[in-house]
Amino acid sequence: MDIAFKRVRYGLLQLIIVLLMLQLLNSTVNAGSTYGPIVECTLYLIDYGYIVVATDEKAYFEMPLNYSDGNLNQTVIIVNIGGNSYMNKSGDGVVVGLKMHSLTDAFMVAKIHVRMVNFTKVLMNIMNNPDMFKGIYTIPSDILAKFVKTPVKIVEDVVVEDFEKWFKERTGKNVSAVSKAYLALSAAYFIYRSGYIKYSPSALPRTLEDVVNGRAGDCDDMSRVLMNLLWHYGIPAKIEYGYVYLPLYLPIPVENSIIYFKNAGPHGYVVAYIPPLGWVSLDLLASARLTYPVVVTGYDTTPDISTESVEEAKRFNRVNVYSELIELVDINELSKLNVNVTDDSSIREYALKTLEGSVKEQISKFIVSPRTITYTQTKTIMMNKTITEKIREKVTETLTTTKIMTKVVTSEVVRTETERVTLTNTVTHTITETTTYTLTKTLVRNVVPSYVWYSIAALLIVIVALISIMVIYCRK
């Protein structure tokens, strides 16, 4: 084993030792499984949202799943829903949605019991032995069919080559010479920790092309690259999403909205199927399912994020304005918060202590008085000329990033080829949709000058006089 191989293994071992020490300090450990101790905890998830401006009719909370993969078991009970929330059955589970109305709230409280196997120690053993589990790699056909897909082209063309070059330089070995367990852990280190992709947080998703070409992404973005990379080597993998239970207070702006995360780190990480262990977390970013328990809200095997879904996420958060609190509370700590999770008013009072400032700011910024438009026009009639009057009205509406629409109304009166009067009025008001259009109306009307009326009157007098003369002449 050469010096380069020892160097990368030493770096990985340092990381895993730190994770193990943190786990021993922070987790409640019960009797172990064959490959690691069992960690159990019971948590409450409080998710409260205050909607300031609503454009969409409905939205959904990120619901924790009743979920089990053999090494993680999660059971969920809905304790309370309130405000504009409602609950529907979906398959074997339920979804909690909310009806979107401006200046209203919605909330959900769930009780979650998590039981997981901590594989930190066995990961240390794998890094000490690149051949560990090499002869044990039988994967059930249903798992292969569901969790090994064709990698996205940019991963095949770019990331695979970069990873194998990195692996060779640091270990002196080809990827085919080590066990799939060692290969999976090395790939996780390459994507999450080596600096190949710089960590760059974002509230909105990115496409793989953007991540790989830009060499920047957050946990979700990195995990999608890693999942595709593992598929290339026939290793079953999926991305789990949820909230990692660790001490933090994290306000994250999303367009015009804001979400406050308390003791609930929003996270996406890769879980790989490694015989004989089963599903194992490869999260070398936040240690979900390694050091810290996690509340799983979903998993994904979609190879890439579509540009349509990116744009839809931007649209939703652009035209809906809200403040949201997402918090995880250990069952043993709940009494210290002075909140009754079964009482609606108690939940509102507790959540608004955090959200009050942002809600007031959003209301002052996006809720304004109804608009009033005053429009006047002065007309001048020129004598002794034929006048054709054309009135054109152009209306242009544009939604700005602050949701304040500027409306410019221009009326143009053309009386002669050289005479023109332009009147412009500008008003602002709140709008909740992206609108950009121009409407042009043209009104053409002929204005008959006064001398024409005088001529007609004179002509009528002459005609009457002629008729009178003819009548007198005929009588004679």
Side-chain angles (χ1 to χ4, degrees):
M1 188 178 298
D2 58 27
I3 295 175
F5 182 68
K6 291 179 180 177
R7 185 168 61 248
V8 69
R9 190 181 73 184
Y10 178 71
L12 284 169
L13 286 175
Q14 278 187 315
L15 175 66
I16 295 171
I17 289 170
V18 170
L19 297 181
L20 181 60
M21 292 175 65
L22 288 171
Q23 188 275 328
L24 292 173
L25 291 172
N26 291 287
S27 301
T28 302
V29 180
N30 296 327
S33 68
T34 304
Y35 296 102
I38 303 296
V39 179
E40 291 190 79
C41 62
T42 301
L43 304 168
Y44 281 96
L45 172 65
I46 300 173
D47 195 339
Y48 176 95
Y50 190 92
I51 305 156
V52 176
V53 176
T55 299
D56 289 26
E57 294 183 355
K58 60 183 178 180
Y60 296 93
F61 289 103
E62 285 196 50
M63 269 291 299
L65 303 176
N66 284 301
Y67 182 73
S68 178
D69 64 9
N71 291 323
L72 172 69
N73 184 269
Q74 176 175 288
T75 55
V76 181
I77 299 173
I78 303 298
V79 175
N80 193 7
I81 63 172
N84 287 335
S85 300
Y86 63 91
M87 190 161 53
N88 283 337
K89 187 172 178 60
S90 176
D92 295 331
V94 296
V95 296
V96 177
L98 56 146
K99 298 175 182 177
M100 300 283 284
H101 298 292
S102 298
L103 302 179
T104 61
D105 68 358
F107 60 85
M108 173 203 70
V109 180
K111 182 179 179 182
I112 307 108
H113 182 77
V114 178
R115 186 178 188 273
M116 68 181 196
V117 180
N118 188 307
F119 285 111
T120 307
K121 188 173 182 179
V122 77
L123 294 183
M124 292 179 60
N125 294 334
I126 292 172
M127 293 315 301
N128 274 318
N129 182 6
D131 294 326
M132 188 171 180
F133 303 136
K134 189 174 183 180
I136 310 172
Y137 202 70
T138 302
I139 299 176
S141 58
D142 59 330
I143 291 179
L144 277 173
K146 188 174 182 180
F147 297 104
V148 177
K149 298 186 177 182
T150 303
V152 174
K153 190 175 187 300
I154 195 168
V155 175
E156 292 271 33
D157 294 346
V158 178
V159 181
V160 170
E161 181 179 347
D162 292 344
F163 168 64
E164 292 186 355
K165 180 181 178 181
W166 174 88
F167 188 85
K168 180 75 172 180
E169 288 175 351
R170 284 158 177 75
T171 67
K173 295 176 177 288
N174 295 321
V175 294
S176 58
V178 300
S179 70
K180 291 293 181 69
Y182 185 86
L183 181 63
L185 196 54
S186 299
Y189 187 88
F190 174 70
I191 297 298
Y192 286 137
R193 305 288 297 186
S194 73
Y196 178 71
I197 298 176
K198 180 181 178 181
Y199 184 79
S200 175
S202 172
L204 298 170
R206 301 178 176 100
T207 64
L208 277 183
E209 187 171 349
D210 290 339
V211 176
V212 175
N213 289 336
R215 292 292 194 274
D218 60 12
C219 56
D220 294 358
D221 305 322
M222 291 181 176
S223 296
R224 201 166 300 279
V225 177
L226 176 57
M227 179 175 66
N228 276 267
L229 181 59
L230 294 175
W231 287 346
H232 174 79
Y233 299 106
I235 300 173
K238 59 185 175 181
I239 302 174
E240 283 184 352
Y241 296 106
Y243 304 115
V244 184
Y245 180 55
L246 73 172
L248 61 74
Y249 176 76
L250 183 65
I252 297 183
V254 187
E255 294 287 337
N256 294 313
S257 300
I258 188 166
I259 305 175
Y260 293 85
F261 296 94
K262 295 178 70 174
N263 303 325
H267 195 41
Y269 56 94
V270 168
V271 180
Y273 191 86
I274 301 174
L277 303 178
W279 290 104
V280 179
S281 169
L282 299 180
D283 183 19
L284 302 186
L285 274 179
S287 306
R289 293 182 61 167
L290 294 174
T291 303
Y292 299 107
V294 62
V295 172
V296 178
T297 59
Y299 70 87
D300 187 22
T301 57
T302 306
D304 198 1
I305 295 293
S306 67
T307 55
E308 291 80 10
S309 62
V310 173
E311 291 305 314
E312 171 57 22
K314 291 179 180 179
R315 184 208 65 79
F316 180 87
N317 289 289
R318 187 179 297 123
V319 301
N320 299 286
V321 181
Y322 59 92
S323 292
E324 186 174 9
L325 170 67
I326 298 175
E327 181 173 3
L328 284 176
V329 184
D330 188 278
I331 191 171
N332 299 314
E333 301 292 324
L334 186 64
S335 59
K336 299 178 183 179
L337 297 183
N338 193 28
V339 57
N340 182 354
V341 294
T342 62
D343 181 74
D344 292 7
S345 59
S346 178
I347 293 172
R348 284 191 176 94
E349 181 180 357
Y350 175 76
L352 288 173
K353 289 178 182 178
T354 300
L355 302 182
E356 182 178 11
S358 63
V359 169
K360 286 182 177 179
E361 182 180 350
Q362 289 169 337
I363 289 175
S364 66
K365 187 174 183 180
F366 299 106
I367 305 297
V368 297
S369 301
R371 60 193 176 101
T372 301
I373 301 176
T374 302
Y375 179 81
T376 59
Q377 179 174 309
T378 302
K379 297 182 180 180
T380 303
I381 303 299
M382 298 179 63
M383 300 297 296
N384 302 322
K385 289 186 178 179
T386 301
I387 298 178
T388 299
E389 188 176 65
K390 295 181 180 179
I391 300 176
R392 295 186 179 91
E393 183 180 80
K394 295 182 180 180
V395 180
T396 302
E397 295 189 358
T398 302
L399 175 65
T400 68
T401 56
T402 58
K403 296 298 184 303
I404 300 298
M405 184 184 72
T406 300
K407 184 171 183 176
V408 179
V409 180
T410 302
S411 291
E412 181 178 271
V413 180
V414 181
R415 295 186 175 80
T416 67
E417 292 183 355
T418 59
E419 182 184 3
R420 179 172 299 178
V421 179
T422 300
L423 303 173
T424 301
N425 299 274
T426 302
V427 295
T428 59
H429 66 96
T430 303
I431 191 168
T432 55
E433 293 181 353
T434 302
T435 307
T436 302
Y437 64 87
T438 300
L439 175 65
T440 302
K441 296 179 180 180
T442 301
L443 173 63
V444 179
R445 64 186 181 189
N446 293 323
V447 179
V448 181
S450 57
Y451 73 87
V452 175
W453 295 110
Y454 295 143
S455 299
I456 293 173
L459 180 60
L460 289 173
I461 292 171
V462 171
I463 292 172
V464 170
L466 289 174
I467 293 173
S468 299
I469 293 171
M470 290 179 64
V471 170
I472 295 171
Y473 178 78
C474 290
R475 286 179 180 177
K476 291 180 176 182

